[in-house]
Structure formats: structure tokens, C-alpha cells
């Protein structure tokens, strides 16, 4: 048995917790709307047409202007930044300790706070997926107090033999490595076992948004809900120094390896994943026309 399988078994024992399970076969089609700039054109189209699939949104989608009109059925937050703070920081982003290391983080935290506040305004029965590590966090409890149903999943990265990976996924004990929230969203959508999963807003042109200035690496992050890119130096959150280019491209490599594994897992479960993002830098999933998601 490969060492990666044994290590994954150990991680399951240490990290994974019983979960009630992901709802299955409730939706024939699921549409994942990611937050890349191209999503804006798609979302403008939804003002005049009715979407057919159940909608799953991610991270700071609710910070934008479409949340209340689109009324997504599912929502996913993966990153600890959405959970690792208290009431004082929720009211004042400047109170976050990371602002001392990265002053520009105050704007990032402000967007997170506003995302939560908009989520709390929902009244249509939203289901929020969160990692088990955060299910009892301050913000998760606050979400439940505001009428949001939370469903926990084990973000325990599984490697090893294919049969072992598939079994661990099916049992909800772990998932493929999710270098970004889209990996996780696709995994959870596939686990719900619809016939088709559509995904839009995955521009994935991160490499085009990197700026190297005197060997300091900056990233200009663009999303559909902001008017201009959020430029910030790439530094490690623990204060250990700047991020190097080799580390950035290694992370991007892991993103696409994740898509390869998800494509395999989707086929294994007879789920068709279709990319309806115009252009973009993802080549693991077949392309489809966005018109397929409208009634």
C-alpha cells in the first residue's frame, strides 16, 4: 500500500469528523457561479432570463449586487479568513491583527464582513457548506442564528490509491486538495450527484495579474464585484516573508491537478461537468454554451 494512502488514513483518523452527509439527487442540474471578472456579463444576463439549475455561489459572492436577486440555493466558504475572527473585528475590520502586517488587509476584512451581513439578510432557506474545522466558530454560529442552514464537510486532503480516494470521497471522510474554493465547490456539487454541473466565472488568469517589482511579488486580484483590481504584496500570513514565484506557480499546478482529479471523480459518478466560462484558463472540462442554463 503506497505511503500516501497510509498517510491519508492517518489524517482521516486525526482530522475527519462524522458529518450528516451532503444532500444527494435533489437537483438535476447545479450551476456554480465563481467570482472571476467574466461572471459579471453572465450575471447581467440573468436579469432578463430565468436560470434552470440550482445555484451554488462561493466566498464573497454576496458582497456583490446580485445576491438578493439571484437567491442562490447553496453557498460555500472554504478559507479560514471567513471564520477566524470575533465580534469586535466583525464590527471594525481595522481590529484584525493581520492589519499590522498587511495594512491593505483591512479592505479584505471589510469585504468579508459585508459578505456575512448580506448573507444574514437571506430569507429563502440558504444552505451554507463549511469545513468541519469551522462549524463551531463564532461566524458559523451567527449564521445559524440568522436562519442559515450549515452543512459541514471534511476538508481532509486524500491521496493514495484510486479506489481508496474514491471510497474516502463517497464516505465524506475527505476530498481532493482544494487550492481554491472552486475545487471544493466542484467536489461538493459532484457529491450531490446531479446529472450536470455547470461552472462559470473561472477565468483563472492569475498568472497575468502578477507584478514583480524589485523582486517583491504583487498580485492584482480581480472579481466581478469590484470596480478595480485589489493590488497587494504576496507575503506569508505567518509573517515569514514574501511569497516567491516558484511557490505561486506550484499552487497553480495544484489547482489544475485538482481539476484533473475532479473530472475523474465526476465521470465515476456519472456526473457531467461543463465549463460555460467564456475563454479562461481551465482545460480539464468540456466547454458548453451558457444558454444551456436558462429556461
Amino acid at each position: 500500500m503506497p505511503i500516501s494512502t497510509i498517510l491519508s488514513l492517518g489524517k482521516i483518523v486525526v482530522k475527519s469528523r462524522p458529518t450528516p452527509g451532503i444532500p444527494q439527487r435533489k437537483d438535476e442540474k447545479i450551476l456554480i457561479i465563481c467570482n472571476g471578472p467574466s461572471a459579471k456579463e453572465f450575471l447581467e444576463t440573468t436579469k432578463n432570463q430565468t436560470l434552470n439549475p440550482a445555484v451554488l455561489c462561493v466566498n464573497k459572492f454576496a458582497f456583490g449586487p446580485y445576491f438578493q436577486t439571484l437567491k442562490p440555493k447553496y453557498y460555500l466558504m472554504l478559507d479560514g479568513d471567513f471564520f477566524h475572527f470575533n465580534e469586535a473585528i466583525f464590527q471594525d475590520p481595522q481590529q484584525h491583527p493581520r492589519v499590522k502586517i498587511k495594512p491593505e488587509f483591512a479592505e479584505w476584512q471589510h469585504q468579508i464582513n459585508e459578505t456575512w451581513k448580506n448573507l444574514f439578510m437571506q430569507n429563502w432557506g440558504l444552505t451554507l457548506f463549511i469545513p468541519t474545522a469551522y462549524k463551531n466558530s463564532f461566524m458559523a454560529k451567527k449564521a445559524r442564528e440568522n436562519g442559515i442552514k450549515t452543512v459541514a464537510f471534511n476538508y481532509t486532503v486524500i491521496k493514495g490509491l484510486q479506489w481508496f480516494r474514491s471510497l474516502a470521497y463517497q464516505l465524506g471522510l475527505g476530498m481532493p486538495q482544494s487550492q481554491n474554493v472552486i475545487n471544493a465547490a466542484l467536489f461538493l456539487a459532484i457529491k450531490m450527484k446531479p446529472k450536470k454541473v455547470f461552472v462559470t466565472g473561472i477565468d483563472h488568469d492569475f498568472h497575468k495579474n502578477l507584478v514583480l517589482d524589485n523582486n517583491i511579488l504583487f498580485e492584482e486580484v480581480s472579481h466581478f464585484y469590484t470596480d478595480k483590481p485589489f493590488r497587494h504584496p504576496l507575503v506569508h500570513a505567518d509573517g515569514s516573508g514574501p511569497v516567491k514565484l516558484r511557490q505561486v506557480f506550484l499552487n497553480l499546478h495544484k489547482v489544475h491537478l485538482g481539476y484533473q482529479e475532479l473530472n475523474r471523480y465526476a465521470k465515476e459518478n456519472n456526473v457531467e461537468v461543463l465549463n460555460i466560462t467564456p475563454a479562461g484558463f481551465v482545460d480539464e472540462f468540456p466547454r458548453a454554451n451558457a444558454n444551456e442554463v436558462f429556461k
Side-chain angles (χ1 to χ4, degrees):
M1 183 178 290
I3 187 67
S4 54
T5 302
I6 296 171
L7 290 174
S8 291
L9 273 170
K11 286 194 293 185
I12 287 172
V13 172
V14 173
K15 293 181 61 178
S16 296
R17 298 291 180 267
T19 59
I22 307 300
Q24 292 189 357
R25 294 188 174 88
K26 287 190 173 183
D27 309 288
E28 197 166 286
K29 299 176 182 178
I30 294 175
L31 167 64
I32 302 170
I33 303 179
C34 306
N35 295 336
S38 68
K40 187 169 186 177
E41 182 178 348
F42 176 83
L43 288 163
E44 284 296 309
T45 306
T46 66
K47 291 180 177 180
N48 303 313
Q49 298 191 62
T50 304
L51 286 169
N52 183 27
V55 175
L56 190 162
C57 296
V58 300
N59 281 359
K60 290 189 281 187
F61 181 90
F63 179 71
Y66 302 95
F67 177 67
Q68 286 289 336
T69 54
L70 195 63
K71 293 181 172 56
K73 184 174 183 178
Y74 304 111
Y75 208 101
L76 166 63
M77 288 174 167
L78 180 68
D79 198 293
D81 283 354
F82 288 96
F83 305 96
H84 287 158
F85 58 93
N86 55 22
E87 181 68 32
I89 295 170
F90 185 52
Q91 298 303 327
D92 180 8
Q94 293 285 348
Q95 299 298 315
H96 200 293
R98 203 181 300 179
V99 174
K100 295 178 181 178
I101 303 171
K102 297 175 65 175
E104 68 277 4
F105 189 80
E107 172 58 26
W108 196 256
Q109 184 64 42
H110 163 73
Q111 293 179 8
I112 289 173
N113 291 353
E114 293 304 307
T115 296
W116 278 113
K117 290 174 184 177
N118 288 339
L119 281 170
F120 295 160
M121 294 174 63
Q122 71 84 37
N123 59 3
W124 55 86
L126 181 73
T127 296
L128 173 65
F129 296 111
I130 58 174
T132 51
Y134 311 130
K135 68 178 183 179
N136 293 320
S137 66
F138 167 75
M139 292 310 300
K141 291 177 181 177
K142 203 171 182 69
R144 289 190 286 270
E145 290 169 1
N146 282 272
I148 295 174
K149 178 185 178 182
T150 61
V151 174
F153 63 93
N154 285 305
Y155 181 30
T156 303
V157 177
I158 302 297
K159 297 181 180 180
L161 297 169
Q162 180 174 310
W163 69 265
F164 171 76
R165 299 196 310 270
S166 295
L167 179 62
Y169 301 161
Q170 291 296 97
L171 296 176
L173 297 174
M175 58 193 291
Q177 184 164 14
S178 295
Q179 246 1 69
N180 64 25
V181 70
I182 306 169
N183 292 134
L186 281 164
F187 174 72
L188 292 172
I190 293 166
K191 274 191 67 65
M192 286 191 272
K193 296 189 176 180
K195 290 182 179 178
K196 293 184 179 181
V197 174
F198 298 92
V199 59
T200 190
I202 49 171
D203 300 49
H204 276 21
D205 54 0
F206 310 113
H207 57 289
K208 297 167 66 176
N209 301 323
L210 296 173
V211 178
L212 194 63
D213 186 358
N214 197 27
N215 278 354
I216 302 297
L217 192 60
F218 292 80
E219 183 182 24
E220 294 184 345
V221 182
S222 297
H223 296 105
F224 78 86
Y225 49 75
T226 53
D227 295 326
K228 59 182 181 179
F230 175 70
R231 178 170 173 161
H232 65 108
L234 291 176
V235 296
H236 293 287
D238 61 5
S240 59
V243 174
K244 295 295 185 180
L245 271 169
R246 56 182 162 77
Q247 295 170 314
V248 171
F249 284 105
L250 177 60
N251 285 339
L252 292 178
H253 174 67
K254 290 178 180 178
V255 168
H256 290 276
L257 280 181
Y259 291 145
Q260 181 185 33
E261 172 69 350
L262 288 164
N263 194 26
R264 179 198 70 80
Y265 184 58
K267 291 177 180 177
E268 188 174 86
N269 284 274
N270 298 312
V271 177
E272 188 176 12
V273 178
L274 297 167
N275 182 3
I276 60 171
T277 308
F281 287 87
V282 175
D283 59 1
E284 287 293 340
F285 308 111
R287 299 276 180 161
N289 193 298
N291 290 332
E292 287 195 40
V293 302
F294 296 106
K295 291 181 180 179

